[in-house]
Amino acid sequence: MEQHEQRQTRHQRKKFRKGRLIFLALLAILLAGAAYSIQQYRSGLKLASETKPPAQDFAADAKNGEIENFLILGVDSRGEEKSRTDTMMLLSWNRDTNDMKLVSFMRDIYADIPGYQSYKLNTAYYLGGVQLLKETLNTMFDVPIHHYAMIDFKSFEAMIDVLAPDGITVDVEKDMSAFIGVSLKQGTQQLNGKELLGYARFRQDAEGDFGRVARQQKVMDALKNELFSIGNAKNLPKFVGAAQGYITTDLTSAEELKMALSVATGGGVDIEKMTLPAEGTYTFNAYQHAGSVLEIDKEQNKALLHEFLQMK
């Protein structure tokens, strides 16, 4: 009886020691992973460059319900103090359902810019920054905007190379080279940051700006897939750090992280897309002070936008 109890005691001690070793090993792995993530985050943060657009005056619209609208802007500053927005998108996120909707605004829309005569929509940022562009969209489409995020194109290139060092898979629909700084061949390609930006900016074909906007939306889809792919997890800490250094936004670091975690843990993310003006709701026109523009049916486009965003 005594020998049985001794054997049982030794067995329990062995189990305890084994369990303790497993716990310590898991703890070491977690600590190593945390240390790696912090090191990579700091490495990404150091990539911040002088191309980051300066912080902007921005007065957010009041929130109503679970929808948050983000104004996403891409600018090509080329070292200039003032620039125009080549990319203008509205990302609408439903926090309850995790649904996302993306609206692209054509830069040549002939826009009612508060306090100024009408110009192309991308001139609003040149005249008064993010706030004036927000007010212009408020006025024309009666859509609330709660946050903004802005990136210079040079920074975009660098961020893509951090997120996907081996490139991002894109089906290039035709040969492209004119005025984009790279030469792309038709077919499925692994595009680095410079090539992906060139693909998104190409417009020297019959589709013009409409084709470019469609490619920008296609790039957003590719980035979303890359960002949430399991195999890319090792690159995310450095990417998040780089985003802090390159993207100008009204969000704090804590708010950005909270939103990213909410989206990531909400399951698969599909993005519905829309372009304004919608087909059949505009005509081409030209003005001496503004050049070639898209004259749009404002009420029709506003109604279509509200329907798409399911605004009450």
Side-chain angles (χ1 to χ4, degrees), residues 285-302:
N285 207 341
Y287 295 92
Q288 187 173 3
H289 70 283
S292 178
V293 301
L294 298 173
E295 201 110 46
I296 72 170
D297 184 322
K298 296 168 195 168
E299 290 304 315
Q300 192 174 355
N301 277 282
K302 181 167 73 172

Side-chain angles (χ1 to χ4, degrees), residues 4 29 39-40 44 46 60 62 75 108-109 124 133-134 163 173 188 237 247 250 275 294 305:
H4 175 73
I29 291 170
Q39 185 272 329
Q40 288 295 298
K46 287 180 182 178
V75 298
D108 288 346
I109 290 173
L133 177 56
K134 183 190 83 73
L163 177 64
E173 61 270 21
T188 302
I247 296 176
D250 66 302
T275 298
L294 298 173
L305 177 62

Side-chain angles (χ1 to χ4, degrees), residues 62 89 144 155 183 219 234:
M89 295 179 172
S155 297
S183 292
V219 165
K234 66 182 185 300

Side-chain angles (χ1 to χ4, degrees), residues 13 66 288:
R13 285 174 179 170
E66 297 303 315
Q288 187 173 3

Side-chain angles (χ1 to χ4, degrees), residues 44-90:
L45 196 59
K46 287 180 182 178
L47 294 174
S49 73
E50 295 178 359
T51 60
K52 179 177 179 176
Q56 299 271 322
D57 291 331
F58 179 77
D61 294 321
K63 293 179 184 176
N64 181 17
E66 297 303 315
I67 302 293
E68 283 192 56
N69 293 329
F70 298 77
L71 183 60
I72 300 175
L73 306 175
V75 298
D76 184 14
S77 65
R78 303 184 189 183
E80 299 173 359
E81 185 176 343
K82 299 181 74 175
S83 58
R84 287 171 171 77
T85 44
D86 269 21
T87 302
M88 294 171 287
M89 295 179 172
L90 184 77

Side-chain angles (χ1 to χ4, degrees), residues 72-229:
I72 300 175
L73 306 175
V75 298
D76 184 14
S77 65
R78 303 184 189 183
E80 299 173 359
E81 185 176 343
K82 299 181 74 175
S83 58
R84 287 171 171 77
T85 44
D86 269 21
T87 302
M88 294 171 287
M89 295 179 172
L90 184 77
L91 180 65
S92 184
W93 174 46
N94 187 312
R95 297 192 302 269
D96 270 354
T97 64
N98 212 37
D99 290 336
M100 288 193 172
K101 299 185 177 185
L102 184 69
V103 182
S104 294
F105 297 96
M106 301 290 291
R107 65 179 192 169
D108 288 346
I109 290 173
Y110 195 50
D112 303 324
I113 302 176
Y116 296 87
Q117 68 180 117
S118 296
Y119 286 100
K120 292 181 180 181
L121 181 61
N122 70 338
T123 306
Y125 175 80
Y126 176 85
L127 293 171
V130 172
Q131 182 63 24
L132 184 58
L133 177 56
K134 183 190 83 73
E135 291 171 2
T136 301
L137 294 173
N138 289 155
T139 300
M140 292 188 70
F141 301 109
D142 192 23
V143 59
I145 297 172
H146 309 114
H147 303 286
Y148 82 92
M150 180 169 52
I151 188 168
D152 184 271
F153 288 140
K154 282 295 180 184
S155 297
F156 175 85
E157 292 179 16
M159 281 186 57
I160 296 305
D161 291 336
V162 169
L163 177 64
D166 297 325
I168 290 181
T169 304
V170 175
D171 181 16
V172 180
E173 61 270 21
K174 64 186 75 176
D175 290 354
M176 302 177 185
S177 60
F179 303 108
I180 58 174
V182 294
S183 292
L184 305 177
K185 294 296 182 184
Q186 182 179 6
T188 302
Q189 311 284 347
Q190 292 291 117
L191 303 184
N192 62 27
K194 186 174 183 179
E195 292 166 338
L196 191 66
L197 177 63
Y199 174 78
R201 299 190 72 191
F202 179 77
R203 61 184 180 124
Q204 302 301 314
D205 60 8
E207 295 177 293
D209 251 5
F210 287 92
R212 183 172 71 160
V213 165
R215 280 185 285 276
Q216 289 174 354
Q217 293 180 345
K218 189 175 173 181
V219 165
M220 290 289 284
D221 254 342
L223 291 179
K224 181 260 296 182
N225 293 337
E226 189 72 27
L227 191 59
F228 294 115
S229 66

Side-chain angles (χ1 to χ4, degrees), residues 238-267:
K238 189 174 182 179
F239 175 77
V240 172
Q244 291 289 319
Y246 284 134
I247 296 176
T248 302
T249 177
D250 66 302
L251 293 168
T252 65
S253 299
E255 288 170 331
E256 290 177 54
L257 182 59
K258 183 180 178 181
M259 178 189 163
L261 289 173
S262 297
V263 173
T265 57

